[in-house]
Amino acid sequence: MTNPLLSTWDTPFEIAPFAAIKDADFAPAFEQALDEHSAEVQAIADNTDAPTFANTVEALEAAGGVLDKVLSVFFTVAGADSNPEREALQRDFSPKMAAHFAAISSNKALFTRLADLWDRRDTLGLTPEQARVLMLTHRGFVRAGAALTGTEDTRMGEIKARLAVLGTQFTQNLLADERDWFMELTEDDLDGLPDFAINAMRAAGVEKGASGPVVTTGRSIITPFLQFSTRRDLRQKAYQAFTSRGANGNDNDNRAIAAEILKLREERAQLLGYADFASYKLETEMAKTPERVEELLQAVWTPAKARAEEDAKVLQDMLHADGLNGDLEAWDWHYYAAKRRKADHDLDEAELKPYLQLDRMIEGAFACATRLFGLEFTPLDVPLYHEDCRAWEVTRDGEHVAVFIGDYFARGSKRSGAWCSAMRAQARFPKVQAPVVINVCNFAKGDPALLSYDDARTLFHEFGHALHQMLSNVTYESISGTSVARDFVELPSQLYEHWLEVPEVLAEFATHAETGEAMPAAMLEKVLGAANFDQGFQTVEYVASALVDLAFHRGAAAADPMAKQAEVLADLGMPKQIAMRHATPHFAHVFAGDGYSSAYYSYMWSEVMDADAFAAFEEAGGAFDPDRAKALEEHILSTGGSQEAEDLYVAFRGRLPGVEALLKGRGLV
């Protein structure tokens, strides 16, 4: 039989034929695709014609199409709907992929061609976009070690292969810990929990095969439990399970893996001539240097810590008022913060949540995109990889723009968190192709599914990433969509969060699940008034994680990352009632791959811009000002990585922002 992964996809919009694909198809398709890509690349390297942009750079852009198809499907299901067979395949694929791409980057004949083009770049008559692609391609090869020779070249290949294995192992260990732990609750354990939380926990219990409701480590379940459960002993148990993921001394323990990853990254950077991994990684980002990153983070840390310490005193007084002696603990913070929010803002999560229906929030995200960019969304009835998934065709003025897929519900087969990826990126070379974009979230199931305000913000955030992919309008896939500097990639996503807080958006789409009535004006005012509530806590837990990440990659690699983590937090004076948002053993942003290593600060760097960028709308005609929307698409959403990030932002705003807008936006000044 023909392998569906290798055949022409005669499906609507050439969406992967998920219904026809079996796990047994992946390995043979992967091996054939690797061989085809290797042959394509070697043919480019062996070309006896003088190097040109077309026969070298464009030829590289056109190569690997089959491999892209296979991997796009595999990594989609491996992340969002894993099983033991897929996990085994991922462990097998990772070192082979690392070796494959290491062989390409160390192909001396190929690099000689690229170096020749780079040396002659000013005489080639390239368009600005072509010049950018040449620069990025050449730079990518150099930074991958293409100029290394002999034992250094060999060692670089070994390091990449080992890092690929370790990153996969880290991810799978974390998934296993998250999948295996749950806490069963009796009816007597439900005191204080609102109906929406109990319903979500019952649904989770069904998924886990339990006889009743359960608490899992999924944020959409554990956060409400910590907010509302009157059982301090159970809050402690759940909190400690959540924060100890990847550090339980079992087969899923990630601490030794993290140490080895840091050591290999240090060696990799030094082979390339850098003092440390942070210097290597940040060179191509907007920040450029570790010093600039630390300057930003420390500027935010000081006021955030002061606010958090003030808040901790208030919450501890509330604890004592409940007749409990001793100090406020980390598993108490959410509980008393929720009580304080109700007291200060008369805002109760249990009263708010029925107004935040998942389907209505999706409609709201779509409607904002319609008003801003003229996009229309029509449901598609196509087979996808899981029954929870749904798809829409995205059009503008009747013309096809993209396919958008949403996979919103938590399940044991899905890794935690939320993300956006392009199963197919936009490009016009070697053929015109429209993007297929997917948002994956981990919301609690329900009938209807109800979101917390943070969940709703996550939905808008990931859809901002999706817009960056869908509105891309470049020639080459390598610079399409979110292929931008890591500390620029979060700008569109964090900027789009602001539209959730536009009063007219909530007024229209925040409707009650039972009555259908719009959120009352008084509640809407409370929601917006409480937007910055608990920002001390939220900022401290994030910035602490970012500073630990930065410290891990500056200077010599720590032999004991947990000791290094403790040292950094002690030097910061980390409030004892607050933990890092992502402790080392479950810091997947940093250890599952290189993406956010030394770069977890990126969310904060982008927030400096997103606060300033939304202010540009407010200073103009309001949140839906057409001129600002047009400029946002023209200079940021459509341009991908075709220009330097700073130049793109300045083209949109006229200047670069300062940290003041961020501090003001978080209510820290």
Side-chain angles (χ1 to χ4, degrees):
M1 291 181 62
T2 302
N3 190 318
L5 288 162
L6 300 173
S7 63
T8 299
W9 291 349
D10 186 18
T11 56
F13 310 107
E14 297 182 334
I15 299 172
F18 289 104
I21 298 170
K22 305 294 186 288
D23 285 346
D25 295 325
F26 284 117
F30 176 71
E31 296 294 346
Q32 183 172 328
L34 280 184
D35 289 343
E36 287 186 18
H37 190 214
S38 295
E40 290 169 336
V41 171
Q42 194 58 47
I44 299 167
D46 292 342
N47 192 341
T48 57
D49 294 339
T52 65
F53 184 82
N55 69 19
T56 304
V57 179
E58 284 190 333
L60 283 171
E61 290 280 331
V66 175
L67 183 60
D68 288 344
K69 285 176 60 176
V70 174
L71 294 180
S72 72
V73 176
F74 176 73
F75 283 112
T76 294
V77 298
D81 192 26
S82 193
N83 60 33
E85 187 169 356
R86 291 170 187 172
E87 290 177 11
L89 287 169
Q90 194 169 4
R91 291 191 294 271
D92 182 49
F93 288 179
S94 293
K96 291 180 179 179
M97 283 176 54
H100 173 75
F101 288 106
I104 293 173
S105 63
S106 63
N107 186 313
K108 303 310 177 189
L110 180 58
F111 182 61
T112 297
R113 295 180 69 85
L114 286 169
D116 176 74
L117 289 172
W118 180 244
D119 291 341
R120 296 187 291 113
R121 59 191 180 277
D122 295 334
T123 68
L124 300 177
L126 303 179
T127 67
E129 187 176 337
Q130 288 173 331
R132 175 76 174 171
V133 171
L134 172 59
M135 184 278 289
L136 292 172
T137 305
H138 179 263
R139 186 177 75 182
F141 269 72
V142 171
R143 289 172 56 81
L148 298 178
T149 58
T151 57
E152 291 185 340
D153 186 24
T154 302
R155 180 57 182 155
M156 179 63 80
E158 293 170 349
I159 290 171
K160 289 179 182 177
R162 182 60 180 160
L163 284 171
V165 170
L166 293 171
T168 297
Q169 190 175 349
F170 188 98
T171 302
Q172 293 188 352
N173 285 351
L174 180 55
L175 176 62
D177 257 11
E178 292 171 342
R179 182 175 55 221
D180 294 346
W181 187 89
F182 58 90
M183 180 173 68
E184 296 191 60
L185 303 177
T186 68
E187 295 302 314
D188 294 337
D189 297 332
L190 303 179
D191 185 56
L193 298 176
D195 288 344
F196 77 81
I198 295 172
N199 292 339
M201 292 170 195
R202 290 194 193 282
V206 171
E207 201 246 342
K208 296 295 185 186
S211 59
V214 303
V215 178
T216 70
T217 56
R219 285 186 183 271
S220 290
I221 286 182
I222 199 167
T223 299
F225 184 78
L226 293 173
Q227 287 176 319
F228 296 110
S229 175
T230 60
R231 290 285 303 276
R232 194 184 191 203
D233 58 330
L234 296 183
R235 294 202 311 267
Q236 179 179 359
K237 183 178 179 181
Y239 179 85
Q240 290 176 336
F242 181 74
T243 54
S244 65
R245 290 168 295 152
N248 289 305
N250 55 16
D251 291 342
N252 304 324
D253 200 297
N254 276 331
R255 287 171 288 190
I257 293 174
E260 187 177 355
I261 287 173
L262 293 175
K263 187 63 178 174
L264 290 172
R265 284 178 180 164
E266 177 191 21
E267 185 180 358
R268 176 182 172 188
Q270 290 177 345
L271 281 172
L272 294 170
Y274 294 88
D276 51 36
F277 187 82
S279 299
Y280 160 75
K281 181 65 180 288
L282 296 173
E283 180 184 51
T284 58
E285 310 297 341
M286 289 184 73
K288 304 301 182 191
T289 67
E291 290 74 23
R292 289 187 69 189
V293 172
E294 183 162 19
E295 181 182 356
L296 167 68
L297 294 175
Q298 290 289 356
V300 178
W301 172 261
T302 301
K305 179 188 173 188
R307 175 65 55 82
E309 289 175 336
E310 292 172 6
D311 291 342
K313 293 175 184 176
V314 174
L315 300 185
Q316 180 154 297
D317 288 343
M318 295 173 69
L319 174 85
H320 293 166
D322 276 352
L324 296 171
N325 297 321
D327 294 335
L328 181 81
E329 300 291 349
W331 47 88
D332 298 319
W333 191 291
H334 285 88
Y335 180 74
Y336 286 102
K339 281 191 167 187
R340 184 185 181 191
R341 186 171 77 157
K342 181 164 177 56
D344 291 358
H345 297 278
D346 193 21
L347 190 61
D348 186 337
E349 186 82 11
E351 295 175 6
L352 172 63
K353 205 156 187 176
Y355 290 96
L356 300 176
Q357 300 175 70
L358 171 62
D359 287 350
R360 294 292 282 148
M361 291 297 102
I362 294 171
E363 290 179 38
F366 287 176
C368 291
T370 300
R371 290 185 64 180
L372 289 165
F373 310 114
L375 300 178
E376 299 288 346
F377 300 82
T378 305
L380 286 173
D381 184 12
V382 293
L384 297 168
Y385 60 86
H386 193 278
E387 61 183 9
D388 287 343
C389 298
R390 42 187 139 165
W392 294 263
E393 181 190 6
V394 186
T395 59
R396 179 157 57 182
D397 299 328
E399 298 292 324
H400 179 74
V401 172
V403 169
F404 175 68
I405 300 170
D407 179 3
Y408 294 108
F409 296 125
R411 52 181 173 267
S413 61
K414 182 190 289 187
R415 64 180 171 89
S416 60
W419 63 93
C420 173
S421 59
M423 295 192 67
R424 182 175 64 235
Q426 177 272 331
R428 295 194 295 272
F429 178 90
K431 64 177 182 178
V432 175
Q433 60 186 40
V436 176
V437 185
I438 183 168
N439 276 177
V440 183
C441 300
N442 270 282
F443 303 141
K445 261 191 173 180
D447 186 21
L450 304 178
L451 305 182
S452 68
Y453 198 71
D454 281 345
D455 287 339
R457 184 180 288 113
T458 295
L459 187 147
F460 271 69
H461 177 102
E462 297 306 331
F463 193 69
H465 281 310
L467 287 172
H468 201 181
Q469 296 279 15
M470 293 189 288
L471 291 172
S472 179
N473 185 22
V474 298
T475 301
Y476 302 102
E477 188 172 335
S478 64
I479 55 169
S480 175
T482 57
S483 297
V484 299
R486 181 63 60 178
D487 48 13
F488 192 68
V489 76
E490 297 297 338
L491 169 60
S493 54
Q494 293 180 182
L495 175 58
Y496 206 67
E497 293 178 31
H498 288 271
W499 273 273
L500 173 63
E501 297 181 352
V502 173
E504 62 189 282
V505 174
L506 283 173
E508 181 175 359
F509 295 100
T511 57
H512 198 279
E514 295 179 3
T515 67
E517 294 179 357
M519 181 183 290
M523 181 178 286
L524 176 60
E525 185 176 343
K526 294 172 189 174
V527 168
L528 298 176
N532 284 324
F533 179 77
D534 215 22
Q535 277 297 327
F537 172 90
Q538 294 179 38
T539 307
V540 161
E541 65 167 2
Y542 165 78
V543 174
S545 295
L547 284 167
V548 168
D549 166 45
L550 185 66
F552 275 156
H553 297 97
R554 293 178 81 177
D560 183 350
M562 300 305 294
K564 182 67 173 180
Q565 172 184 300
E567 175 190 329
V568 173
L569 296 180
D571 289 345
L572 288 171
M574 181 78 169
K576 76 179 186 68
Q577 309 91 339
I578 304 176
M580 293 167 61
R581 182 171 298 177
H582 303 289
T584 299
H586 54 260
F587 208 164
H589 280 79
V590 170
F591 292 106
D594 278 355
Y596 282 90
S597 54
S598 299
Y600 191 62
Y601 76 92
S602 299
Y603 293 93
M604 188 67 70
W605 190 276
S606 292
E607 190 177 339
V608 171
M609 291 182 286
D610 82 63
D612 182 64
F614 192 71
F617 279 85
E618 295 176 320
E619 293 163 9
F624 294 99
D625 180 76
D627 291 334
R628 286 290 82 201
K630 181 180 178 182
L632 180 64
E633 179 178 355
E634 178 182 352
H635 297 300
I636 294 176
L637 297 178
S638 71
T639 49
S642 61
Q643 299 176 48
E644 288 291 327
E646 285 193 8
D647 295 339
L648 293 174
Y649 190 83
V650 171
F652 166 72
R653 189 64 164 115
R655 56 167 173 75
L656 290 172
V659 72
E660 295 78 15
L662 179 149
L663 295 174
K664 182 179 178 182
R666 285 188 172 235
L668 296 176
V669 293

